[in-house]
Amino acid sequence: MRALVVDDEAAVQRLMVRGLTELGFECDTANDGNEALLRASKTHYDAVITDLHMPNKHGHALAVHLLTLEPRPVIVVHTGVVEPRIAADLLARGIDDILFKPCDFRLLATKVKALVDRKSTLINEVPNALETGQSAQGTRPAQADMRAESQDSERDVGRISLKEIESRLLSLSRILPISAAGLDVYNMTSTNECEIPEIAEAIQRDATLAAEVLRLANSPYYNRSAERILDLKRAVFHIGQKRIGEVALAANVLTALTANLVPWMNIGLTWKRSTAAGLVVGKLIDEGRYQLAAQGSLLCAIMHPLGRIALGTLFPRQYESMAEKCAITEDRLLEHERGMFEVNHAEAMALLTASWGIPEEIHLPLKFLLADDAALSKVSEPIRHKVELLRLAIYLGNVAVAGWEDWDTVDYPAPALLRKLDGNFIAEVVTHARDGVEKLAMLRQAGPGEFDSGRQATTPSELTYCDLARGTYDFLGEIISSTGIKLVSCSADDLKDCEGNVLVNCIGTPAQRLAVKGKRTPLQSLTIVTDVERVEKYLEHGKAIALPISYRRLHTICREASRVPRQAHEIVGPAFSKSA
């Protein structure tokens, strides 16, 4: 392996070269960006480690140029410039990592070697590993490799069996092993018998995990001071002795799975949703809610959407086909998944988690996350209580992120969940999650082609909106506002005087209430959003939309309602014909 060390300090060059040489690298050095580019034009390097602040050509410009090379080297920035905006920009462009001075040079060298090894394995071994079920330790499969000859056996049609899914997930778990140290830390903290020095020592056994924990501890969410945290004991203290086990393991799983390129899916948005759901769980537990469901729930919340990435990595053709169908039909992806696979994506994540040896109290709630109410009622406690917490956390987290895939499911939380929380507290939790995701977002290394937010309206439009739902927080209004449509509020008492198109939230509301409040004027047309079991009763009042519905379909209906008066009364929803 060949590495190029770029730094204008001779002492730093020597120490870095020594660390890399001990791990088998042949090293060249450069004093600035111009010299580095000259060397890179003549020699292919497996890794380039560069400072930022240098004479002639600085490290940022060097890194941006190196990203254009084909094949490009692993790029690690090693700098004393602690500037979050620069770090966020470089990570978003695609560099592999940033480490801040002072840094243990052996740790840095170990990290560089791990990155080079992983990249080499992706290029040479992953397709074969998937085909044969052999292990490629420490690697992350790339989408391009998943489409190689190893996928020739995929069926383009037909339902995929549980046996086949389990077999492929087992291969994936071997290719993407999670940290043994991370599991140890989780087990240590779940018993409350270990002190901070012991936990820090366990984390130190895995250099990559240690780096992740330090980066997390130095994020604005956990570290509000300007002083950088360089010691793992302090990092554990800042994150929290009780929570560090779940946080460390979650960071490990997130890093492993969200490194994949799944072209039809917004991985950056998935990362934000995972993070937001975890923040909501933490907030609810910290505020004294759901304490009996605390153990493992944070980790479970963070992992909840990752099963879709796993399935998408293993079955790319099927998912691309389903995504194309959703774009045409405006269906929810979940509907097509249920027809294609014998398990849903939450159950797939439960299977993958179990194959990693993660304790059952974490992965068992995932198994029931998408179960219907009848199936969930048969689940014993405390699992049912945890599923309830997870569903609420996922919903509030999605509202906080306010980004959507077209094929996402838009639904409403169960009334039983909302009765436990007042509207002001829900708003506080949503704000907490939104702020927390922003503070943690700099830790996420964006992949090529990722985008941060969901589909937005192309031109501004307004829509009169009346909330008749029986709830303390207007979730539907928040979701529609995230489409880019400006909602003009109309009270229930003023509804009968509104003219033109009006969107009415009647979720959980008997049709009789609208009959009393919503006697229409000749110029008024109502678009009504309600539950699937009540939708037919609203036909005489206007167009009825039944939840659950896809985000794309909801967006289309709201955009149409904001422009054109409606004459016909229609039903829209998964249980009814869409011919209208």
Side-chain angles (χ1 to χ4, degrees):
M1 298 176 292
R2 297 190 66 86
L4 176 62
V5 176
V6 190
D7 202 296
D8 59 337
E9 296 182 49
V12 173
Q13 283 187 8
R14 285 196 301 272
L15 290 169
M16 201 177 300
V17 167
R18 183 187 303 169
L20 290 165
T21 303
E22 289 176 355
L23 295 179
F25 283 90
E26 294 182 10
C27 297
D28 293 329
T29 61
N31 297 314
D32 58 50
N34 284 336
E35 187 180 347
L37 285 180
L38 182 61
R39 288 188 174 277
S41 67
K42 298 177 179 179
T43 304
H44 168 69
Y45 292 101
D46 298 288
V48 176
I49 305 92
T50 180
D51 192 7
L52 285 181
H53 185 65
M54 296 180 296
N56 297 325
K57 192 179 188 72
H58 55 72
H60 186 283
L62 171 63
V64 171
H65 182 88
L66 291 172
L67 287 167
T68 67
L69 300 181
E70 185 61 41
R72 76 164 180 86
V74 165
I75 306 168
V76 175
V77 170
H78 177 233
T79 180
V81 180
V82 184
E83 174 48 64
R85 287 175 298 177
I86 295 176
D89 176 72
L90 285 170
L91 289 170
R93 290 174 184 269
I95 72 159
D96 296 277
D97 209 346
I98 295 180
L99 296 174
F100 295 97
K101 299 177 182 179
C103 176
D104 184 308
F105 288 95
R106 285 187 173 84
L107 172 62
L108 186 149
T110 301
K111 182 112 184 184
V112 171
K113 185 175 187 302
L115 290 168
V116 171
D117 286 346
R118 183 185 71 197
K119 185 176 181 180
S120 174
T121 306
L122 287 178
I123 294 172
N124 300 314
E125 298 178 18
V126 168
N128 184 61
L130 267 180
E131 187 174 8
T132 63
Q134 294 174 351
S135 173
Q137 294 293 322
T139 66
R140 299 171 184 163
Q143 185 70 12
D145 294 320
M146 294 300 176
R147 293 182 182 179
E149 281 77 9
S150 60
Q151 294 297 323
D152 286 345
S153 62
E154 281 189 11
R155 294 168 295 173
D156 292 318
V157 294
R159 189 171 170 84
I160 298 175
S161 68
L162 172 62
K163 182 178 180 181
E164 183 174 352
I165 294 170
E166 285 180 322
S167 173
R168 298 225 184 164
L169 286 172
L170 183 59
S171 296
L172 185 63
S173 73
R174 291 169 176 164
I175 296 168
L176 295 176
I178 62 168
S179 167
L183 274 173
D184 289 343
V185 172
Y186 173 80
N187 292 327
M188 291 167 68
T189 55
S190 63
T191 60
N192 295 318
E193 295 178 356
C194 296
E195 299 299 326
I196 287 178
E198 297 173 274
I199 297 170
E201 185 179 346
I203 295 172
Q204 187 68 61
R205 296 204 313 265
D206 186 321
T208 301
L209 180 64
E212 292 286 347
V213 169
L214 286 172
R215 290 176 67 193
L216 197 61
N218 280 294
S219 70
Y221 182 78
Y222 287 107
N223 185 9
R224 298 178 183 177
S225 69
E227 183 182 358
R228 288 198 60 78
I229 298 170
L230 302 174
D231 179 74
L232 279 172
K233 292 192 285 293
R234 284 190 62 205
V236 172
F237 176 79
H238 273 258
I239 294 173
Q241 185 174 350
K242 292 183 178 180
R243 194 156 286 170
I244 184 63
E246 289 187 71
V247 168
L249 200 51
N252 192 202
V253 174
L254 262 178
T255 300
L257 283 174
T258 59
N260 295 331
L261 178 60
V262 186
W264 52 270
M265 188 174 181
N266 183 346
I267 301 297
L269 177 60
T270 303
W271 184 93
K272 287 186 174 183
R273 287 179 170 179
S274 288
T275 304
L279 292 169
V280 172
V281 165
K283 180 71 171 176
L284 292 175
I285 292 171
D286 289 345
E287 294 292 333
R289 324 283 177 116
Y290 292 97
Q291 287 178 310
L292 295 177
Q295 186 177 8
S297 290
L298 184 147
L299 179 54
C300 199
I302 291 174
M303 293 193 302
H304 83 272
L306 303 182
R308 189 167 265 160
I309 297 178
L311 288 176
T313 301
L314 296 171
F315 301 98
R317 294 178 186 172
Q318 283 82 351
Y319 266 95
E320 287 182 2
S321 173
M322 290 187 291
E324 289 171 1
K325 289 178 182 177
C326 288
I328 296 170
T329 63
E330 297 189 342
D331 289 337
R332 298 177 293 139
L333 181 58
L334 184 60
E335 297 174 62
H336 292 278
E337 285 176 322
R338 285 171 172 164
M340 180 65 67
F341 302 109
E342 286 191 1
V343 297
N344 58 54
H345 61 86
E347 291 171 324
M349 192 62 209
L351 291 170
L352 182 58
T353 306
S355 72
W356 279 327
I358 292 178
E360 189 178 57
E361 70 264 15
I362 295 175
H363 62 75
L364 199 54
L366 289 170
K367 181 179 177 181
F368 301 101
L369 192 58
L370 298 176
D372 57 33
D373 292 340
L376 186 59
S377 66
K378 300 176 183 178
V379 177
S380 60
E381 297 292 2
I383 300 301
R384 187 165 70 242
H385 195 49
K386 287 186 177 182
V387 173
E388 177 183 301
L389 169 60
L390 289 173
R391 287 181 173 181
L392 182 59
I394 291 165
Y395 199 93
L396 296 183
N398 288 351
V399 171
V401 171
W404 302 91
E405 301 270 25
D406 282 346
W407 37 256
D408 274 335
T409 296
V410 175
D411 206 346
Y412 216 74
L417 293 180
L418 299 181
R419 282 195 290 268
K420 298 180 180 181
L421 306 173
D422 63 77
N424 289 335
F425 181 69
I426 291 175
E428 181 184 337
V429 172
V430 169
T431 300
H432 170 78
R434 184 174 294 138
D435 293 345
V437 168
E438 289 182 4
K439 291 175 180 177
L440 292 166
M442 65 174 291
L443 302 178
R444 161 73 183 147
Q445 179 178 330
E450 285 189 14
F451 52 99
D452 292 326
S453 59
R455 185 175 180 272
Q456 301 292 324
T458 55
T459 56
S461 58
E462 292 186 352
L463 178 60
T464 303
Y465 175 73
C466 180
D467 181 17
L468 295 183
R470 293 182 172 178
T472 57
Y473 187 86
D474 186 9
F475 290 103
L476 183 64
E478 287 277 351
I479 293 171
I480 294 173
S481 295
S482 71
T483 69
I485 295 174
K486 180 182 179 181
L487 296 180
V488 180
S489 182
C490 167
S491 69
D493 293 332
D494 295 334
L495 178 60
K496 61 181 180 296
D497 298 321
C498 294
E499 293 184 352
N501 291 334
V502 183
L503 182 72
V504 189
N505 180 358
C506 292
I507 297 170
T509 304
Q512 295 87 332
R513 188 174 183 219
L514 181 61
V516 173
K517 296 288 184 182
K519 291 185 179 297
R520 291 190 296 154
T521 68
L523 298 178
Q524 187 184 73
S525 178
L526 301 181
T527 300
I528 303 154
V529 182
T530 188
D531 320 271
V532 66
E533 62 269 16
R534 290 187 174 93
V535 67
E536 290 192 71
K537 297 178 181 179
Y538 281 98
L539 274 178
E540 62 181 280
H541 301 291
K543 176 177 179 175
I545 303 171
L547 296 186
I549 196 172
S550 75
Y551 174 79
R552 170 77 175 272
R553 186 64 174 148
L554 177 65
H555 176 274
T556 300
I557 291 167
C558 291
R559 290 284 291 166
E560 290 174 354
S562 68
R563 294 173 183 154
V564 184
R566 296 191 174 279
Q567 302 298 326
H569 297 166
E570 305 167 313
I571 297 176
V572 179
F576 301 90
S577 170
K578 293 185 179 181
S579 59

